[in-house]
Amino acid sequence: MEEGTLKSPSNREGTVGVGVDYGDADPFQWDTREDCQVRQILDRVADKWSLLTIALLEHRKLRFTELRREIDGISQRMLTVTLRQLERDGLVKRTVHPVVPPRVEYELTPLGGTLHHTIQSLVTWTERHQNEIAAAREAYDVRAASEDAG
């Protein structure tokens, strides 16, 4: 482990949160345990392609081509990788129908459905606060531009 980084439980000097007692909700706890999967799972499910895929699969089955058509900007390779990872994590179920040509459908598993509720909360929050965020960005950009000019 690297000394002086968030990944080092023995040395948090110079890091955010030094001296703060977070109790059971310590945001650094999963970075300090090498055997913990939380960071990997968060990286996976918080990825924009995973979020969009999970959102689209709510209460319905979709074929690969339908998903690709619905997710603006995703490449065939990235969608393949995303679906494989979500399937591996038990969030998406892949069903191959024995027809010619083979028909493959994707749907959320019950576990994936529980994650969708969390994602929906995030989307609702974003929609509710988008104007405030846009105003904050604009104010920041004005301040940054005046600091750069001065």
Side-chain angles (χ1 to χ4, degrees), residues 77-90:
R77 182 185 182 288
M78 186 52 66
L79 181 56
T80 299
V81 168
T82 299
L83 288 167
R84 282 185 186 157
Q85 290 173 339
L86 293 173
E87 183 182 8
R88 181 173 182 250
D89 288 343

Side-chain angles (χ1 to χ4, degrees), residues 117-131:
H117 298 299
T118 301
I119 292 169
Q120 188 58 47
S121 296
L122 180 60
V123 170
T124 300
W125 180 90
T126 304
E127 290 171 343
R128 190 173 298 142
H129 297 285
Q130 65 184 335
N131 293 334

Side-chain angles (χ1 to χ4, degrees), residues 4 18 35 42-43 62 75 77 79 84 87 93 111 115 144:
V18 172
D35 62 336
L42 285 172
D43 287 346
L62 290 174
S75 68
R77 182 185 182 288
L79 181 56
R84 282 185 186 157
E87 183 182 8
K93 178 183 173 192
L111 180 62
L115 179 58

Side-chain angles (χ1 to χ4, degrees), residues 8-40:
S8 174
S10 62
N11 183 0
R12 288 202 188 160
E13 285 184 36
T15 62
V16 175
V18 172
V20 177
D21 181 12
Y22 295 100
D24 291 337
D26 183 355
F28 301 107
Q29 71 178 338
W30 39 263
D31 258 7
T32 63
R33 299 179 302 186
E34 292 180 19
D35 62 336
C36 184
Q37 299 291 318
V38 174
R39 179 66 180 261
Q40 291 177 349

Side-chain angles (χ1 to χ4, degrees), residues 129-143:
H129 297 285
Q130 65 184 335
N131 293 334
E132 294 170 70
I133 293 169
R137 287 177 176 175
E138 188 175 326
Y140 176 89
D141 291 346
V142 168
R143 277 194 320 273

